[in-house]
Amino acid sequence: MNTIIKIPNKFSFNDHGTYNFDRVLNIFNWTLEKQTVLIDFSSCFRANYQALSLLTLYIWHLRLNNCFIEFQYSYNMEGATKMWQLMGAKGWHHVLKNNNTNFNGNEYKPLIAVRHQKDFAIALSKTESYTQDFNVEYEKTLRYVISELLYNTLEHGPRIVCQDRRHTKIPSIIQFTWYKNKRQLQFIVADLGMGIKSHLEQAYPPFESHGEAILESLKYQVSGTFGRVDPYKSKDNAGVGLYISSNIIRRLNADMHVVSGDGLVHISPTDTTITPLQEIWPGTLVLVSLNLDLGEGLNLHSLMSEIRSSASKELKEADQADEKETFIISVLNFFGPYAENKQEAISFRDSRLLPSIEEGKSILIDFQGVASAPHSFLSALLATPIKRLGMQSYKRIKVVNSEPEIRETIDYILDDNTSA
Ligand SMILES: Nc1ncnc2c1ncn2[C@@H]1O[C@H](COP(=O)(O)OP(=O)(O)O)[C@@H](O)[C@H]1O
Ligand SMILES: [Mg+2]
Protein backbone atom coordinates (compact mmCIF):
# COMPACT_ATOMS: atom_id res chain seq x y z
CA MET A 1 0.00 0.00 0.00
CA ASN A 2 1.09 3.54 -0.71
CA THR A 3 0.24 6.79 0.92
CA ILE A 4 0.91 10.25 -0.39
CA ILE A 5 1.44 13.06 2.06
CA LYS A 6 0.85 16.15 0.02
CA ILE A 7 2.37 19.34 1.38
CA PRO A 8 -0.11 22.09 0.49
CA ASN A 9 0.75 25.15 -1.52
CA LYS A 10 1.06 27.19 1.66
CA PHE A 11 2.59 25.35 4.59
CA SER A 12 2.98 27.75 7.45
CA PHE A 13 1.64 28.52 10.89
CA ASN A 14 0.93 32.03 9.78
CA ASP A 15 -2.50 32.58 8.30
CA HIS A 16 -3.11 36.20 7.34
CA GLY A 17 -1.40 37.50 10.44
CA THR A 18 -2.85 34.99 12.89
CA TYR A 19 -1.47 31.63 13.91
CA ASN A 20 -3.08 28.47 12.63
CA PHE A 21 -1.49 25.28 13.93
CA ASP A 22 -4.20 22.92 12.74
CA ARG A 23 -3.42 23.68 9.14
CA VAL A 24 0.12 22.38 9.56
CA LEU A 25 -0.60 19.50 11.95
CA ASN A 26 -3.43 18.26 9.79
CA ILE A 27 -1.11 16.76 7.13
CA PHE A 28 0.49 14.29 9.54
CA ASN A 29 -1.03 10.83 9.74
CA TRP A 30 0.54 9.15 12.78
CA THR A 31 -0.92 5.69 12.22
CA LEU A 32 0.87 4.72 9.01
CA GLU A 33 3.13 1.70 9.19
CA LYS A 34 4.87 -0.81 6.93
CA GLN A 35 4.23 0.96 3.65
CA THR A 36 5.72 3.35 1.19
CA VAL A 37 4.97 6.96 1.97
CA LEU A 38 5.53 9.61 -0.64
CA ILE A 39 6.18 13.09 0.69
CA ASP A 40 5.06 15.37 -2.10
CA PHE A 41 6.63 18.83 -2.07
CA SER A 42 5.84 19.51 -5.70
CA SER A 43 3.06 22.01 -5.16
CA CYS A 44 4.31 23.71 -2.02
CA PHE A 45 5.64 27.15 -2.87
CA ARG A 46 5.09 29.10 0.29
CA ALA A 47 6.43 27.38 3.35
CA ASN A 48 7.83 28.37 6.67
CA TYR A 49 11.06 26.80 7.93
CA GLN A 50 9.70 26.00 11.39
CA ALA A 51 6.67 24.22 9.95
CA LEU A 52 8.83 22.29 7.49
CA SER A 53 11.28 21.24 10.17
CA LEU A 54 8.45 19.30 11.86
CA LEU A 55 8.48 17.04 8.82
CA THR A 56 11.87 15.66 9.85
CA LEU A 57 10.37 14.40 13.12
CA TYR A 58 7.42 12.98 11.23
CA ILE A 59 9.65 11.17 8.74
CA TRP A 60 11.73 9.69 11.57
CA HIS A 61 8.54 8.48 13.15
CA LEU A 62 7.43 6.85 9.86
CA ARG A 63 10.82 5.27 9.30
CA LEU A 64 10.73 3.68 12.74
CA ASN A 65 7.22 2.46 11.96
CA ASN A 66 8.82 0.47 9.14
CA CYS A 67 7.72 2.80 6.37
CA PHE A 68 9.80 3.57 3.29
CA ILE A 69 9.95 7.22 2.47
CA GLU A 70 10.08 8.69 -1.00
CA PHE A 71 10.09 12.32 -2.04
CA GLN A 72 8.57 14.18 -4.91
CA TYR A 73 10.25 17.53 -5.43
CA SER A 74 9.09 20.49 -7.48
CA TYR A 75 10.33 20.45 -11.06
CA ASN A 76 12.31 23.69 -10.75
CA MET A 77 13.53 22.87 -7.23
CA GLU A 78 11.81 25.97 -5.85
CA GLY A 79 9.63 26.56 -2.78
CA ALA A 80 9.59 23.95 -0.05
CA THR A 81 11.92 21.74 -2.09
CA LYS A 82 14.62 24.37 -1.95
CA MET A 83 14.03 25.10 1.72
CA TRP A 84 14.26 21.40 2.57
CA GLN A 85 17.60 21.32 0.83
CA LEU A 86 18.87 24.54 2.45
CA MET A 87 18.17 23.17 5.92
CA GLY A 88 20.15 20.05 5.10
CA ALA A 89 17.00 18.05 5.87
CA LYS A 90 17.82 15.65 3.05
CA GLY A 91 20.30 14.11 5.48
CA TRP A 92 17.47 12.96 7.79
CA HIS A 93 18.36 9.29 7.40
CA HIS A 94 22.03 9.68 8.36
CA VAL A 95 21.11 11.84 11.32
CA LEU A 96 18.70 9.20 12.58
CA LYS A 97 21.16 6.35 12.10
CA ASN A 98 24.26 8.02 13.39
CA ASN A 99 24.18 9.59 16.79
CA ASN A 100 27.09 11.89 15.99
CA THR A 101 25.92 13.19 12.65
CA ASN A 102 23.92 16.36 12.38
CA PHE A 103 22.18 18.19 9.54
CA ASN A 104 24.54 19.85 7.16
CA GLY A 105 22.55 22.83 6.05
CA ASN A 106 23.10 26.43 5.13
CA GLU A 107 24.46 28.40 8.08
CA TYR A 108 21.58 30.85 7.87
CA LYS A 109 18.90 28.17 8.07
CA PRO A 110 20.13 26.04 10.94
CA LEU A 111 18.25 22.83 11.64
CA ILE A 112 19.82 20.86 14.46
CA ALA A 113 19.00 17.43 15.84
CA VAL A 114 19.19 17.47 19.63
CA ARG A 115 20.03 14.14 21.31
CA HIS A 116 22.74 14.81 23.87
CA GLN A 117 25.01 17.38 25.44
CA LYS A 118 27.14 17.67 22.32
CA ASP A 119 24.14 18.61 20.15
CA PHE A 120 23.06 21.00 22.87
CA ALA A 121 26.40 22.77 22.55
CA ILE A 122 26.12 22.84 18.74
CA ALA A 123 22.66 24.39 19.00
CA LEU A 124 23.85 27.07 21.39
CA SER A 125 26.90 27.95 19.34
CA LYS A 126 24.65 28.35 16.29
CA THR A 127 22.50 30.71 18.34
CA GLU A 128 25.59 32.67 19.19
CA SER A 129 26.76 33.04 15.62
CA TYR A 130 23.28 34.14 14.79
CA THR A 131 22.91 36.73 17.47
CA GLN A 132 26.41 38.21 17.53
CA ASP A 133 25.23 41.49 16.07
CA PHE A 134 22.56 41.91 18.70
CA ASN A 135 22.88 43.74 21.94
CA VAL A 136 24.82 41.57 24.43
CA GLU A 137 22.11 41.49 27.05
CA TYR A 138 19.64 40.46 24.41
CA GLU A 139 21.93 37.64 23.35
CA LYS A 140 22.33 36.39 26.93
CA THR A 141 18.60 36.54 27.51
CA LEU A 142 17.82 34.63 24.37
CA ARG A 143 20.45 32.05 25.23
CA TYR A 144 18.78 31.53 28.59
CA VAL A 145 15.38 30.85 27.01
CA ILE A 146 16.81 28.54 24.35
CA SER A 147 18.83 26.56 26.91
CA GLU A 148 15.78 25.99 29.08
CA LEU A 149 13.77 24.76 26.11
CA LEU A 150 16.61 22.50 25.00
CA TYR A 151 17.08 21.12 28.52
CA ASN A 152 13.37 20.35 28.64
CA THR A 153 13.36 18.53 25.37
CA LEU A 154 16.44 16.51 26.36
CA GLU A 155 15.20 15.72 29.86
CA HIS A 156 11.47 15.27 29.36
CA GLY A 157 11.02 14.80 25.62
CA PRO A 158 12.94 11.77 24.36
CA ARG A 159 11.08 9.09 22.49
CA ILE A 160 12.67 5.66 22.25
CA VAL A 161 11.40 3.28 19.60
CA CYS A 162 12.16 -0.41 19.71
CA GLN A 163 12.46 -1.90 16.23
CA ASP A 164 13.89 -5.33 15.48
CA ARG A 165 15.26 -5.48 19.04
CA ARG A 166 17.18 -2.25 18.42
CA HIS A 167 16.37 0.82 20.42
CA THR A 168 16.48 4.08 18.55
CA LYS A 169 16.01 7.45 20.12
CA ILE A 170 14.13 9.95 17.97
CA PRO A 171 16.05 13.22 18.29
CA SER A 172 14.40 16.50 19.15
CA ILE A 173 14.99 19.40 16.79
CA ILE A 174 15.57 23.13 16.88
CA GLN A 175 15.32 25.36 13.82
CA PHE A 176 15.92 29.13 13.61
CA THR A 177 15.14 31.68 10.96
CA TRP A 178 16.11 35.29 10.96
CA TYR A 179 13.65 37.41 8.98
CA LYS A 180 15.91 40.31 8.21
CA ASN A 181 13.38 42.70 6.72
CA LYS A 182 11.05 42.32 9.64
CA ARG A 183 14.00 42.22 12.09
CA GLN A 184 12.39 39.17 13.52
CA LEU A 185 13.82 35.93 14.82
CA GLN A 186 11.67 32.84 14.88
CA PHE A 187 12.62 29.44 16.22
CA ILE A 188 11.00 26.16 17.06
CA VAL A 189 12.00 23.43 19.51
CA ALA A 190 10.07 20.21 18.97
CA ASP A 191 10.03 16.60 20.12
CA LEU A 192 7.92 13.45 19.93
CA GLY A 193 8.21 12.63 23.61
CA MET A 194 5.39 11.80 26.02
CA GLY A 195 4.08 15.37 26.04
CA ILE A 196 3.59 17.80 28.91
CA LYS A 197 0.35 16.32 30.23
CA SER A 198 1.69 12.78 30.70
CA HIS A 199 4.96 14.05 32.07
CA LEU A 200 3.32 16.25 34.69
CA GLU A 201 0.90 13.46 35.60
CA GLN A 202 3.86 11.48 36.92
CA ALA A 203 3.79 13.87 39.85
CA TYR A 204 0.35 15.50 39.82
CA PRO A 205 -3.26 14.35 39.64
CA PRO A 206 -4.63 14.05 36.11
CA PHE A 207 -5.48 17.18 34.14
CA GLU A 208 -8.73 17.84 32.38
CA SER A 209 -7.04 18.71 29.12
CA HIS A 210 -3.65 19.17 27.49
CA GLY A 211 -4.15 22.91 27.60
CA GLU A 212 -4.64 22.88 31.39
CA ALA A 213 -1.47 20.82 31.78
CA ILE A 214 0.57 23.24 29.65
CA LEU A 215 -0.73 26.14 31.71
CA GLU A 216 0.33 24.36 34.90
CA SER A 217 3.80 23.64 33.52
CA LEU A 218 4.37 27.39 33.15
CA LYS A 219 3.91 27.99 36.88
CA TYR A 220 6.74 28.57 39.30
CA GLN A 221 8.26 25.40 40.74
CA VAL A 222 5.91 23.05 38.97
CA SER A 223 7.86 20.05 37.72
CA GLY A 224 6.80 16.66 36.44
CA THR A 225 9.99 15.22 37.88
CA PHE A 226 9.54 16.35 41.48
CA GLY A 227 5.97 17.58 41.87
CA ARG A 228 5.47 20.81 43.72
CA VAL A 229 8.95 21.56 44.94
CA ASP A 230 9.49 22.25 48.59
CA PRO A 231 11.01 25.73 48.49
CA TYR A 232 13.38 24.85 51.34
CA LYS A 233 14.76 21.84 49.55
CA SER A 234 14.73 23.27 46.07
CA LYS A 235 16.21 20.64 43.79
CA ASP A 236 18.45 22.20 41.16
CA ASN A 237 15.97 24.94 40.54
CA ALA A 238 13.37 22.42 39.43
CA GLY A 239 10.23 23.72 37.81
CA VAL A 240 11.38 27.26 37.13
CA GLY A 241 12.58 26.93 33.52
CA LEU A 242 9.28 27.51 31.78
CA TYR A 243 8.14 30.03 34.36
CA ILE A 244 11.14 32.27 33.81
CA SER A 245 11.28 31.69 30.05
CA SER A 246 7.63 32.51 29.53
CA ASN A 247 7.99 35.64 31.63
CA ILE A 248 11.07 36.73 29.72
CA ILE A 249 9.09 36.27 26.51
CA ARG A 250 6.40 38.55 27.91
CA ARG A 251 8.86 41.26 28.89
CA LEU A 252 10.54 41.09 25.49
CA ASN A 253 7.24 41.73 23.81
CA ALA A 254 7.61 38.41 22.06
CA ASP A 255 5.24 35.57 21.33
CA MET A 256 5.51 31.99 22.48
CA HIS A 257 3.22 29.13 21.48
CA VAL A 258 3.40 25.82 23.30
CA VAL A 259 1.66 22.86 21.66
CA SER A 260 1.38 19.43 23.22
CA GLY A 261 -1.29 16.84 22.40
CA ASP A 262 -4.33 18.82 21.35
CA GLY A 263 -3.50 21.72 23.65
CA LEU A 264 -2.19 25.10 22.54
CA VAL A 265 -1.16 27.84 24.93
CA HIS A 266 -0.20 31.24 23.62
CA ILE A 267 1.92 33.49 25.80
CA SER A 268 2.10 37.14 24.82
CA PRO A 269 2.77 40.36 26.74
CA THR A 270 -0.92 40.88 27.33
CA ASP A 271 -2.32 37.45 27.98
CA THR A 272 -1.97 33.69 28.23
CA THR A 273 -4.69 31.79 26.43
CA ILE A 274 -5.55 28.15 25.94
CA THR A 275 -7.05 27.05 22.62
CA PRO A 276 -7.89 23.41 22.02
CA LEU A 277 -6.73 22.19 18.62
CA GLN A 278 -8.57 19.96 16.15
CA GLU A 279 -5.36 18.13 15.37
CA ILE A 280 -2.63 16.86 17.67
CA TRP A 281 1.12 17.01 18.01
CA PRO A 282 2.14 13.75 19.72
CA GLY A 283 4.94 15.37 21.76
CA THR A 284 5.76 18.96 22.55
CA LEU A 285 6.62 21.90 20.37
CA VAL A 286 7.46 25.46 21.31
CA LEU A 287 7.45 28.23 18.72
CA VAL A 288 8.99 31.58 19.64
CA SER A 289 8.88 34.76 17.64
CA LEU A 290 10.92 37.79 18.75
CA ASN A 291 11.28 41.29 17.51
CA LEU A 292 14.87 42.43 17.71
CA ASP A 293 14.39 46.16 17.99
CA LEU A 294 13.27 45.96 21.55
CA GLY A 295 16.48 44.95 23.28
CA GLU A 296 17.38 48.45 24.48
CA GLY A 297 17.89 48.83 28.20
CA LEU A 298 17.63 45.12 28.80
CA ASN A 299 19.58 43.54 31.64
CA LEU A 300 19.26 39.82 32.11
CA HIS A 301 20.30 39.83 35.73
CA SER A 302 17.80 42.42 36.88
CA LEU A 303 15.11 40.90 34.65
CA MET A 304 15.61 37.53 36.35
CA SER A 305 15.51 38.91 39.86
CA GLU A 306 12.38 40.89 39.03
CA ILE A 307 10.73 37.74 37.70
CA ARG A 308 11.81 35.69 40.70
CA SER A 309 10.42 38.20 43.14
CA SER A 310 7.06 38.30 41.43
CA ALA A 311 7.20 34.48 41.52
CA SER A 312 7.46 34.38 45.29
CA LYS A 313 4.43 36.65 45.52
CA GLU A 314 2.48 34.37 43.22
CA LEU A 315 3.62 31.38 45.20
CA LYS A 316 2.23 32.85 48.42
CA GLU A 317 -1.10 33.44 46.77
CA ALA A 318 -1.07 29.90 45.40
CA ASP A 319 -0.36 28.52 48.87
CA GLN A 320 -3.34 30.32 50.26
CA ALA A 321 -5.51 28.97 47.48
CA ASP A 322 -4.05 25.51 48.10
CA GLU A 323 -5.30 25.42 51.65
CA LYS A 324 -8.75 24.76 50.33
CA GLU A 325 -7.27 22.13 48.03
CA THR A 326 -8.88 19.42 46.00
CA PHE A 327 -10.47 16.16 47.02
CA ILE A 328 -9.36 13.62 44.43
CA ILE A 329 -11.64 10.64 43.98
CA SER A 330 -10.32 7.66 42.10
CA VAL A 331 -13.56 5.90 41.15
CA LEU A 332 -11.61 2.73 40.38
CA ASN A 333 -10.19 2.58 43.91
CA PHE A 334 -13.46 3.27 45.65
CA PHE A 335 -15.93 1.43 43.43
CA GLY A 336 -13.97 -0.84 41.06
CA PRO A 337 -14.04 -0.96 37.24
CA TYR A 338 -17.82 -1.41 37.20
CA ALA A 339 -19.09 1.45 39.30
CA GLU A 340 -22.67 0.28 39.58
CA ASN A 341 -23.59 -0.05 43.22
CA LYS A 342 -25.99 2.76 43.99
CA GLN A 343 -25.98 2.12 47.73
CA GLU A 344 -22.18 2.49 47.88
CA ALA A 345 -22.50 5.74 45.93
CA ILE A 346 -24.97 7.15 48.45
CA SER A 347 -22.90 6.25 51.46
CA PHE A 348 -19.72 7.65 49.88
CA ARG A 349 -21.60 10.83 48.98
CA ASP A 350 -22.81 11.37 52.56
CA SER A 351 -19.65 10.36 54.40
CA ARG A 352 -16.97 11.86 52.13
CA LEU A 353 -18.21 13.95 49.24
CA LEU A 354 -20.66 16.33 50.92
CA PRO A 355 -18.36 17.05 53.88
CA SER A 356 -15.52 17.95 51.49
CA ILE A 357 -17.79 20.30 49.62
CA GLU A 358 -18.82 21.92 52.91
CA GLU A 359 -15.11 22.51 53.64
CA GLY A 360 -14.85 24.43 50.38
CA LYS A 361 -12.81 21.85 48.53
CA SER A 362 -12.92 21.28 44.81
CA ILE A 363 -13.68 17.78 43.65
CA LEU A 364 -11.68 15.96 41.00
CA ILE A 365 -13.26 12.69 39.91
CA ASP A 366 -10.87 10.38 38.09
CA PHE A 367 -12.50 7.66 35.98
CA GLN A 368 -9.23 6.07 34.86
CA GLY A 369 -9.79 2.32 34.40
CA VAL A 370 -13.55 2.53 34.92
CA ALA A 371 -15.45 0.66 32.21
CA SER A 372 -18.97 1.59 33.17
CA ALA A 373 -20.87 3.87 35.51
CA PRO A 374 -24.60 3.97 34.79
CA HIS A 375 -26.87 6.94 35.20
CA SER A 376 -28.45 5.75 38.46
CA PHE A 377 -25.01 5.34 40.09
CA LEU A 378 -23.74 8.74 38.91
CA SER A 379 -26.94 10.44 39.87
CA ALA A 380 -26.86 8.94 43.37
CA LEU A 381 -23.29 10.16 43.73
CA LEU A 382 -23.58 13.61 42.20
CA ALA A 383 -27.11 15.01 42.05
CA THR A 384 -27.22 16.29 45.63
CA PRO A 385 -23.70 17.83 45.61
CA ILE A 386 -24.54 19.54 42.31
CA LYS A 387 -27.80 20.92 43.70
CA ARG A 388 -25.95 22.32 46.71
CA LEU A 389 -23.28 23.99 44.61
CA GLY A 390 -25.58 25.30 41.88
CA MET A 391 -23.76 26.90 38.96
CA GLN A 392 -20.52 26.68 40.93
CA SER A 393 -20.55 22.94 40.20
CA TYR A 394 -19.08 23.66 36.80
CA LYS A 395 -16.00 25.09 38.48
CA ARG A 396 -15.75 22.96 41.59
CA ILE A 397 -16.44 19.50 40.17
CA LYS A 398 -14.03 18.26 37.53
CA VAL A 399 -14.12 14.95 35.72
CA VAL A 400 -11.05 13.40 34.09
CA ASN A 401 -10.21 10.26 32.12
CA SER A 402 -13.79 9.23 31.58
CA GLU A 403 -15.26 7.23 28.73
CA PRO A 404 -17.43 9.45 26.50
CA GLU A 405 -20.70 7.86 27.74
CA ILE A 406 -19.78 8.60 31.35
CA ARG A 407 -18.87 12.19 30.46
CA GLU A 408 -22.17 12.65 28.65
CA THR A 409 -24.18 11.22 31.53
CA ILE A 410 -22.46 13.57 33.97
CA ASP A 411 -23.07 16.55 31.69
CA TYR A 412 -26.70 15.56 31.62
CA ILE A 413 -26.87 15.33 35.43
CA LEU A 414 -25.11 18.70 35.73
CA ASP A 415 -27.57 20.27 33.37
CA ASP A 416 -30.56 18.71 35.01
CA ASN A 417 -29.64 19.78 38.52
CA THR A 418 -28.48 23.32 37.81
CA SER A 419 -31.25 24.52 35.54
CA ALA A 420 -34.16 26.18 37.26
N1 LIG B 1 9.43 18.88 26.07
C1 LIG B 1 8.70 18.48 27.12
N2 LIG B 1 8.12 17.24 27.12
C2 LIG B 1 7.39 16.82 28.16
N3 LIG B 1 7.17 17.55 29.28
C3 LIG B 1 7.71 18.79 29.34
C4 LIG B 1 8.50 19.31 28.27
N4 LIG B 1 8.88 20.56 28.63
C5 LIG B 1 8.36 20.79 29.85
N5 LIG B 1 7.66 19.73 30.29
C6 LIG B 1 6.93 19.61 31.57
O1 LIG B 1 6.88 20.89 32.19
C7 LIG B 1 7.50 20.82 33.47
C8 LIG B 1 8.08 22.15 33.83
O2 LIG B 1 9.23 22.45 33.06
P1 LIG B 1 10.31 23.42 33.67
O3 LIG B 1 9.64 24.65 34.15
O4 LIG B 1 11.41 23.62 32.68
O5 LIG B 1 10.83 22.64 34.95
P2 LIG B 1 11.81 21.37 35.08
O6 LIG B 1 12.35 21.09 33.72
O7 LIG B 1 12.85 21.83 36.04
O8 LIG B 1 10.96 20.25 35.62
C9 LIG B 1 8.49 19.68 33.34
O9 LIG B 1 8.86 19.13 34.60
C10 LIG B 1 7.68 18.69 32.51
O10 LIG B 1 6.74 18.02 33.32
MG1 LIG C 1 13.26 22.57 32.60
Side-chain angles (χ1 to χ4, degrees):
M1 211 177 73
N2 269 332
T3 301
I4 299 174
I5 302 283
K6 192 167 181 59
I7 316 297
N9 179 320
K10 185 170 178 199
F11 190 58
S12 162
F13 304 117
N14 201 313
D15 189 10
H16 300 102
T18 61
Y19 284 86
N20 183 341
F21 284 86
D22 280 324
R23 194 174 57 177
V24 169
L25 300 185
N26 143 53
I27 70 153
F28 304 120
N29 175 346
W30 298 96
T31 60
L32 302 177
E33 55 181 343
K34 296 187 190 126
Q35 55 182 285
T36 301
V37 180
L38 177 74
I39 309 286
D40 182 359
F41 286 112
S42 64
S43 31
C44 179
F45 292 98
R46 288 186 301 158
N48 152 284
Y49 281 99
Q50 288 74 51
L52 267 185
S53 69
L54 292 180
L55 260 173
T56 54
L57 288 163
Y58 180 59
I59 291 169
W60 285 332
H61 160 89
L62 291 177
R63 189 67 201 92
L64 293 173
N65 256 359
N66 292 308
C67 291
F68 285 94
I69 322 292
E70 289 176 356
F71 294 87
Q72 174 78 51
Y73 297 114
S74 72
Y75 73 97
N76 58 0
M77 303 304 270
E78 284 301 313
T81 303
K82 186 172 175 190
M83 295 165 78
W84 189 249
Q85 198 169 13
L86 282 176
M87 291 195 295
K90 280 185 164 174
W92 64 271
H93 195 237
H94 297 294
V95 176
L96 181 66
K97 276 177 70 179
N98 185 341
N99 218 12
N100 287 311
T101 305
N102 221 310
F103 295 104
N104 189 11
N106 178 305
E107 66 174 305
Y108 295 105
K109 307 292 173 208
L111 167 65
I112 301 144
V114 184
R115 295 152 291 198
H116 38 59
Q117 204 58 40
K118 202 176 130 212
D119 292 336
F120 183 98
I122 295 175
L124 278 180
S125 76
K126 284 266 159 75
T127 324
E128 236 160 55
S129 68
Y130 233 57
T131 53
Q132 58 192 346
D133 300 336
F134 306 170
N135 150 338
V136 192
E137 284 301 319
Y138 205 101
E139 185 190 325
K140 277 200 288 188
T141 308
L142 200 57
R143 195 185 163 99
Y144 177 90
V145 174
I146 292 174
S147 317
E148 287 298 344
L149 296 177
L150 290 173
Y151 275 129
N152 279 351
T153 198
L154 277 177
E155 287 171 6
H156 317 307
R159 158 108 163 270
I160 316 279
V161 179
C162 183
Q163 187 200 38
D164 306 330
R165 299 212 200 101
R166 276 195 56 198
H167 293 272
T168 310
K169 181 162 153 180
I170 300 190
S172 308
I173 54 130
I174 180 166
Q175 202 288 327
F176 315 83
T177 312
W178 165 217
Y179 297 92
K180 245 195 173 110
N181 302 341
K182 293 196 261 175
R183 287 193 58 73
Q184 209 183 49
L185 178 71
Q186 208 168 80
F187 66 89
I188 194 166
V189 177
D191 64 58
L192 291 177
M194 67 165 77
I196 293 182
K197 183 171 180 290
S198 298
H199 195 274
L200 275 182
E201 285 176 355
Q202 297 176 351
Y204 292 85
F207 293 92
E208 250 189 311
S209 66
H210 286 277
E212 296 285 344
I214 299 171
L215 213 55
E216 191 67 21
S217 75
L218 300 175
K219 292 188 184 159
Y220 195 58
Q221 293 185 337
V222 165
S223 163
T225 316
F226 299 109
R228 178 71 178 275
V229 180
D230 178 344
Y232 300 103
K233 288 192 245 158
S234 135
K235 295 183 177 106
D236 299 331
N237 253 343
V240 303
L242 284 180
Y243 177 81
I244 295 188
S245 303
S246 58
N247 276 291
I248 288 179
I249 293 295
R250 278 196 196 101
R251 312 283 168 105
L252 292 184
N253 236 328
D255 270 300
M256 178 167 175
H257 288 89
V258 184
V259 176
S260 187
D262 68 355
L264 161 66
V265 169
H266 175 212
I267 296 129
S268 75
T270 46
D271 63 355
T272 303
T273 42
I274 306 186
T275 318
L277 298 173
Q278 302 290 318
E279 309 291 335
I280 59 144
W281 178 254
T284 304
L285 72 85
V286 181
L287 181 72
V288 174
S289 178
L290 298 144
N291 204 313
L292 294 166
D293 289 327
L294 298 158
E296 291 303 311
L298 185 71
N299 177 292
L300 180 60
H301 183 73
S302 59
L303 185 61
M304 300 264 276
S305 55
E306 210 180 293
I307 291 172
R308 278 181 197 276
S309 77
S310 67
S312 58
K313 194 171 139 244
E314 263 176 49
L315 210 56
K316 263 188 219 133
E317 283 165 11
D319 282 345
Q320 279 158 8
D322 258 12
E323 270 168 27
K324 291 206 165 144
E325 75 194 77
T326 305
F327 177 32
I328 301 160
I329 303 166
S330 158
V331 177
L332 183 68
N333 282 350
F334 285 111
F335 306 100
Y338 299 94
E340 290 166 345
N341 188 325
K342 199 173 153 185
Q343 214 45 52
E344 277 177 21
I346 292 173
S347 81
F348 182 85
R349 175 194 72 196
D350 294 342
S351 64
R352 308 284 308 271
L353 195 50
L354 290 173
S356 298
I357 285 176
E358 293 302 324
E359 287 165 26
K361 289 185 180 161
S362 292
I363 310 294
L364 181 79
I365 312 175
D366 182 5
F367 281 91
Q368 185 73 52
V370 175
S372 87
H375 180 271
S376 55
F377 171 90
L378 292 169
S379 175
L381 186 70
L382 296 172
T384 313
I386 291 170
K387 275 202 190 106
R388 291 224 184 136
L389 286 169
M391 290 315 274
Q392 263 204 46
S393 313
Y394 288 94
K395 262 175 84 183
R396 295 259 302 271
I397 302 180
K398 302 241 148 123
V399 172
V400 292
N401 296 321
S402 67
E403 295 291 331
E405 306 87 76
I406 299 181
R407 176 79 248 184
E408 274 164 34
T409 314
I410 294 176
D411 286 341
Y412 180 79
I413 298 172
L414 269 164
D415 223 35
D416 215 26
N417 289 287
T418 48
S419 49

